[in-house]
Amino acid sequence: MSGLSEPRRLLDDIGLCLVFFTRLRLPSGDFGGRGLANAIWAAPFAGLAVAVIGALAYAIASGLGLAAGPAAALMLAATMLVTGCLHEDGLSDIADGFGGGRTRERKLEIMRDSRIGAYGAAALGVSLLIRWSALSELAGPGHVFLALLAAHAASRGLFGAFMHLLPPARTDGLSANAGSVSAETAGVGAALGAVALLTLGLGGAIAAIILLGLMFAAFRALCLSQIGGQTGDTIGALQQFGEIAVLLVASVCLS
């Protein structure tokens, strides 16, 4: 009984993360009643799906004769399409809230506003520019796939640890409703993300882990000082920062 239920639970967690973090849809929407906090370890698998789709878009564009720059732009468009700009939305909300609010309450209020301000627009522009320029430096579709796999899986592998180490900043909302993440669940997600970084080579993986660790610690401290915890928007912004960090390392290791 347990031998059959364990693989099913793992598949349910992967399916839940695919449906939650992307616009991909699966035939079954039950997922065994699993909650996001318990399934968050599988977020890197959603990153794998995004990486495959992005790499395929790049390969098709490159095969049609497009240069690296336009191919990278189309690849970014494909990844944002498959995620519904979920994490880009979090980044822009964080930039507007942290940049435009004077008090904790006002920051949280701004973050819930669907309108985008100057801080949010600037953050999105810089994020897209850095990611595009890093991907444009890579040597062909094969290296693009390796970079995307590392960046999208490792950045999502941080979700569980972030939710485990920071309390929800609100009593309602996505993060609060997700529940608490155990240390074991957070550790599995982080380990899967670290394994994905090996596509950059051992040296690249070590450099990426160091950079991700510094980024994680800095952003955790910023969220605590600004709003006293984490929200769904902060998790989205964390993914963007993590993706950027890994792509910068990839631009050195794989160019």
Side-chain angles (χ1 to χ4, degrees):
M1 182 76 173
S2 61
L4 292 176
S5 63
E6 184 69 12
R8 177 58 189 270
R9 182 185 68 80
L10 299 181
L11 291 175
D12 284 338
D13 287 354
I14 293 171
L16 176 59
C17 284
L18 281 173
V19 169
F20 189 88
F21 291 113
T22 75
R23 288 192 168 182
L24 299 175
R25 292 296 172 260
L26 300 176
S28 173
D30 180 20
F31 307 121
R34 299 287 291 173
L36 184 61
N38 292 324
I40 199 69
W41 67 269
F45 286 98
L48 170 61
V50 175
V52 169
I53 292 171
L56 181 60
Y58 185 96
I60 292 173
S62 181
L64 292 174
L66 292 181
L74 290 173
M75 184 279 304
L76 281 173
T79 60
M80 289 190 292
L81 181 64
V82 75
T83 61
C85 293
L86 177 65
H87 306 305
E88 284 81 2
D89 179 69
L91 175 63
S92 65
D93 285 343
I94 285 297
D96 280 333
F98 287 11
R102 290 176 177 263
T103 65
R104 174 182 180 275
E105 291 71 23
R106 180 55 180 156
K107 293 176 192 294
L108 290 171
E109 181 184 353
I110 293 173
M111 288 163 58
R112 270 196 166 154
D113 193 333
S114 60
R115 294 169 296 181
I116 185 170
Y119 287 109
L124 284 178
V126 171
S127 171
L128 287 169
L129 180 60
I130 294 175
R131 287 184 285 163
W132 173 82
S133 60
L135 288 161
S136 297
E137 293 296 317
L138 301 181
H143 283 175
V144 166
F145 173 65
L146 295 178
L148 289 177
L149 174 57
H152 284 281
S155 61
R156 288 165 174 82
L158 300 174
F159 289 172
F162 200 71
M163 295 172 69
H164 174 71
L165 294 173
L166 277 82
R170 295 189 180 100
T171 57
D172 61 343
L174 173 63
S175 181
N177 293 333
S180 60
V181 177
S182 68
E184 179 184 8
T185 299
V188 172
L192 288 174
V195 169
L197 290 173
L198 292 174
T199 61
L200 305 179
L202 182 58
I206 293 173
I209 289 172
I210 293 173
L211 189 56
L212 285 173
L214 293 173
M215 179 277 297
F216 185 97
F219 188 57
R220 176 179 180 271
L222 179 65
C223 290
L224 286 173
S225 67
Q226 293 286 309
I227 57 174
Q230 47 88 10
T231 67
D233 284 330
T234 65
I235 294 171
L238 176 72
Q239 189 281 325
Q240 291 283 281
F241 293 140
E243 182 181 340
I244 288 171
V246 176
L247 288 179
L248 289 176
V249 174
S251 69
V252 176
C253 298
L254 302 177
S255 61

